[in-house]
Structures are given as structure tokens and as C-alpha cells.
Amino acid sequence: MTKGQTPSQTVGPYFAYGLTPEQYGYPLASIASPDLRTPDVEGRQIRIEGRVLDGKGEAIDDAMIEIWQADPQGRYAHPADPSYNKGRGNIAFKGFGRCGTGTDPENRFIFDSVKPGAVDDSQAPHINVIVFMRGLLSHLYTRIYFADEADANAKDPVLLSVPEDRRDTLVAAREESGGTVVYRFDIHMQGENETVFFDV
Amino acid sequence: MTTPPKPYSPRDWSSHPPIIAPDYKSTPLRGATKPLIPIRQSLSELTGPVFGQDSLGELDNDLTKNGRKDGEPLGERIIVSGKVVDELGRPQPNMLVEVWQANAAGRYVHKVDQHNAPLDPNFFGGGRCVTDDQGVYRFYSVKPGAYPWGNHPNAWRPNHIHFSLFGPSIATRLVTQMYFPGDPLLDLDPIFLSSPEKARDRLISEFDLSLTEEEFALGYRFDIVLRGPWETPMETA
């Protein structure tokens, strides 16, 4: 047997040149970017925008957000997904993005992606989110659901496992600006509207 | 061939730091205050991004070379290597390991680092490698220096290297820090001390003469344990 899980530690304030170098202008190729779109992807393009707010309601400028999502047909680009490679289009779509909050004047994270399809039949379309920052010793998981999927959301087993008065914190508002569909999703670390975080 | 995914064992909160640890002063306003809500693991949690050798640049695993402008970086050259396994001791092959660190003087390349120790024109401090078919990773660097931070009077971070790993799914995601043996700053550092006492030694690398390359670099071993599948261990050892 092993000696047990290696403990988590904070990502700290200086992750950008190692984890999100191109976004911050450092001379190292990034393995992932805030733009998940690939030339072959078939599906509706969307933008996801939001801020990470601390206990005083101030936007955090040194958080890093990772997203992991299915393609528009509800398939994850991972061998554990039984639909992986099965009649697969979107072959270049990796489903993973990374964005720091330090390069936008309003400290937003902004992802360009495609709207994910429903996964596992019973789940509503969603994007998995991992949150890192200075002052966070263990990363936190949350999910983005979409306000224009009310019927699917009402039946989603994960949303239903969340107390009713907190479900709204997981649903991104839909806006349209200049033909682009934008979903707005602020992450409140604390306070009245504290975002639901999952023990994954 | 696809194998149906198995759920992962829980995140072991007796090994990980709490969400809020007041001695580390950035945590009280930034940590969640409500309990985490347990989630039934679905394909969303049992899958994650796949990064293999093809995600590496030529010099990504050699921090003594990937920031060179006109010479060698200053500092004590080191080799850092270790095995990535899951809780059942099974090697995790072909897994991305990302690292970043300060230079030998304790200065980060990052633009907001205001420490007045010098930048090294020949050292960048970021890189990555991928584990081999036995789960072993290995990279070259220089030993990072300690540096002051404003947490409390005379607060200095111990020498450390930041690590980021995915493992096979987003459930096994881990960001951590590797420390060096015998560092007197460890007992004074609220970030290191935030992890439960029984688990702290898992964050400290071991000096390993067998990793050392003669007349070139000293070797440190840092093994990493990720969450494993939720099943009864078969090993009898």
C-alpha cells in the first residue's frame, strides 16, 4: 500500500508563467487556452464570461479557472467515455480550457467554446469547472448550467441534489451581444450567493 | 476498447489542507464557507483532458536550458524525479506533470513578483514533463531560493517547486508544492503547515544520490500519490 494521497497546496500568485503562459505573454507554449474552438467543431459557438468574487465582493485578479466539457454531441474526448471515437466528428475538440483572471481589465475569465450536449442521458448540458487561486489550499469544483435549458435543468440529478435555494448559483444567464451568445457566470467564493462547490 | 469508468475514492480530507486556514492570511476571504456538496460521480468527473508526450516542447523538461539567453542559469543544478501512482500503488503512465518555480535567488519571472532579488537572464522557471510507462517523470532545474512574502513579519517561503497534475480524470486533479529535506523554514510556513501533520512529510522530497549525475546535478526524489479507484485493494503487501 502507498502512504496516502499527496496533499494539495495552493497554486499561489505566480502560476501564470507556468500554467497560462501565452495568455499572460510569457515565452512558453501553453498546453491549453481560453479558446476551445477547433476548426472542425460542429455546434453552437458560445462565450462564457464571469468573475471570481471574494468575501468582500471584490473581483479576484489572480484566480485560474479550468473548464472540462463534452462536445455538442455530449461526448467527452477521453477513452473512459463509451462514445469516445464512436462515429466521432469534432475529432480535434479536446473539451479543456484554462484562463487566468489577470489579463482582463475587469478581471473576468472569458472562454470561447461550443455548447456541450447532454451527457449520460439524464444530465442537463453543463460545463465542469475547477477553481484555483492564491488563498485556496485545495482546488474547488463547480458546474455551469445554462439558463435556456430550464426543462433539462429541472430533471438534472446533480442540480436536484443541491438545496433548492442554492441552485441558481450554478445557472449561467444568457445574453446576446452582436450575434454572439454569451453566458454570464460569476463565482462567489463567499456571502449570500456563495456558489455551490462539490466534493467530487 | 473502452472500459467502463469506475468511481474514485473520495478526496481524503484527512490528508488535504482545510478550505480555510487562518494562519495563511489570504484564505479567510477566499475559501468557501458552506460545506461542499457531495456529487454522484458521472462521466463528467470520471474523464479529463488527455495530454501525452505530444504536448511537450523540445526543452520543456529542462529548466536549465529552456530559458537560456546567452549562458547557463546560476544556481545549484538539480534533477527532480519521482513516480506518480494511485492510492493502490499503481503507476500512472503517460501523465502530464507541469512545474514552475523561483530562480536560485528566490525571484519569480512573474510580473507581479516585487522581491528585489535579481532575475536570472538565463532562467525562466516553467516547464513540464510526462510520466513514462512506469509512471516515472524527470526534469532538470536549479534549486529554487527562499523568498519573503507579506503574510506575517519575517515570513519566508521555504524552497519549493509548484507541481500540477491531472491524472486520468478531473477527479484526480492535483496542484501541490514540493519541498526540500532539512529546510528550517518548513516549521514556520503556514502553507506547508496547513496540510494535516500526518501527511506533511509526503510533500518533502528526498535527496537521492542514485539520481545524481556526476559532475553535473544533484538528484531529488518526489513521489506523488493521486486518488485511486474506489475498490477493495487487492495487494496483500
Side-chain angles (χ1 to χ4, degrees):
Chain A
M1 290 303 293
T2 69
K3 52 187 177 177
Q5 293 174 17
T6 300
S8 176
Q9 295 270 268
T10 178
V11 77
Y14 305 137
F15 62 82
Y17 71 92
L19 299 182
T20 52
E22 287 177 23
Q23 182 196 342
Y24 284 74
Y26 291 104
L28 176 70
S30 290
I31 56 145
S33 83
D35 189 349
L36 286 74
R37 296 169 300 175
T38 43
D40 69 340
V41 75
E42 291 169 19
R44 195 204 308 163
Q45 297 204 3
I46 61 171
R47 174 167 287 184
I48 297 151
E49 288 182 7
R51 297 169 301 163
V52 185
L53 302 157
D54 69 11
K56 288 181 173 166
E58 289 173 9
I60 291 171
D61 65 2
D62 57 2
M64 183 180 82
I65 303 298
E66 290 179 344
I67 62 173
W68 171 241
Q69 65 164 93
D71 72 8
Q73 289 73 40
R75 302 171 297 200
Y76 283 106
H78 187 277
D81 186 332
S83 68
Y84 180 62
N85 278 344
K86 206 176 280 176
R88 208 173 127 73
N90 306 335
I91 214 76
F93 184 72
K94 283 195 156 185
F96 179 74
R98 238 183 209 171
C99 189
T101 59
T103 61
D104 178 74
E106 295 168 48
N107 298 130
R108 291 170 299 183
F109 54 86
I110 300 172
F111 290 100
D112 285 303
S113 189
V114 286
K115 196 166 179 197
V119 178
D120 263 11
D121 299 338
S122 61
Q123 293 194 64
H126 63 274
I127 292 176
N128 306 287
V129 177
I130 317 179
V131 181
F132 304 86
M133 70 188 88
R134 170 175 65 85
L136 196 59
L137 288 156
S138 296
H139 58 269
L140 291 176
Y141 297 91
T142 187
R143 282 181 169 203
I144 297 172
Y145 288 87
F146 302 96
D148 52 2
E149 297 282 353
D151 291 348
N153 291 347
K155 288 179 256 172
D156 182 83
V158 173
L159 273 177
L160 291 173
S161 73
V162 170
E164 200 172 352
D165 61 348
R166 299 191 65 200
R167 284 176 204 160
D168 280 356
T169 69
L170 300 175
V171 181
R174 184 187 197 274
E175 294 166 17
E176 250 179 85
S177 85
T180 308
V181 177
V182 178
Y183 290 97
R184 209 166 289 286
F185 186 77
D186 283 344
I187 299 173
H188 297 260
M189 300 309 299
Q190 301 181 352
E192 205 180 324
N193 297 315
E194 182 171 319
T195 298
V196 166
F197 296 104
F198 294 106
D199 199 7
V200 165
Chain B
M1 270 294 286
T2 55
T3 47
K6 286 182 181 157
Y8 284 91
S9 66
R11 253 169 129 178
D12 175 13
W13 290 105
S14 74
S15 292
H16 295 297
I19 301 297
I20 291 178
D23 287 348
Y24 172 22
K25 291 189 176 153
S26 300
T27 71
L29 277 177
R30 291 183 162 205
T33 63
K34 295 186 162 69
L36 305 185
I37 294 184
I39 198 168
R40 180 189 64 91
Q41 292 174 16
S42 69
L43 272 184
S44 292
E45 290 75 31
L46 298 171
T47 57
V50 178
F51 294 105
Q53 282 289 346
D54 58 354
S55 51
L56 296 186
E58 194 188 350
L59 295 176
D60 279 5
N61 70 339
D62 191 342
L63 282 64
T64 72
K65 292 201 176 96
N66 71 9
R68 280 192 198 180
K69 295 282 189 292
D70 55 10
E72 300 245 1
L74 294 172
E76 184 182 320
R77 283 191 293 246
I78 58 173
I79 293 158
V80 180
S81 179
K83 195 166 196 170
V84 182
V85 299
D86 69 14
E87 286 171 282
L88 303 180
R90 302 181 312 180
Q92 301 292 299
N94 208 31
M95 292 291 163
L96 181 70
V97 178
E98 297 170 274
V99 295
W100 69 103
Q101 63 166 84
N103 69 22
R107 177 74 187 271
Y108 284 89
V109 161
H110 198 286
K111 290 163 185 131
V112 301
D113 186 355
Q114 297 299 310
H115 183 29
N116 65 4
L119 287 168
D120 181 338
N122 292 303
F123 188 76
F124 178 66
R128 48 182 89 100
C129 51
V130 167
T131 61
D132 66 14
D133 57 2
Q134 302 300 307
V136 175
Y137 72 87
R138 174 187 170 91
F139 64 92
Y140 291 89
S141 192
V142 299
K143 190 172 178 182
Y147 63 86
W149 59 309
N151 192 68
H152 56 276
N154 236 346
W156 287 73
R157 294 299 328 279
N159 306 334
H160 65 277
I161 299 176
H162 295 267
F163 275 68
S164 168
L165 298 94
F166 287 91
S169 79
I170 63 164
T172 53
R173 186 88 178 87
L174 178 72
V175 168
T176 189
Q177 299 181 27
M178 177 199 112
Y179 300 94
F180 289 84
D183 189 334
L185 293 170
L186 287 171
D187 291 340
L188 303 170
D189 180 49
I191 294 181
F192 172 71
L193 295 175
S194 69
S195 48
E197 192 172 358
K198 70 160 194 184
R200 281 177 207 153
D201 64 347
R202 300 174 202 164
L203 296 171
I204 304 174
S205 59
E206 288 173 38
F207 172 68
D208 187 339
L209 192 66
S210 72
L211 277 176
T212 294
E213 284 185 18
E214 191 176 357
E215 298 192 17
F216 184 70
L218 291 171
Y220 287 89
R221 182 173 302 283
F222 182 56
D223 294 332
I224 295 167
V225 180
L226 303 177
R227 286 163 67 177
W230 200 339
E231 63 184 9
T232 310
M234 298 297 285
E235 285 90 340
T236 51

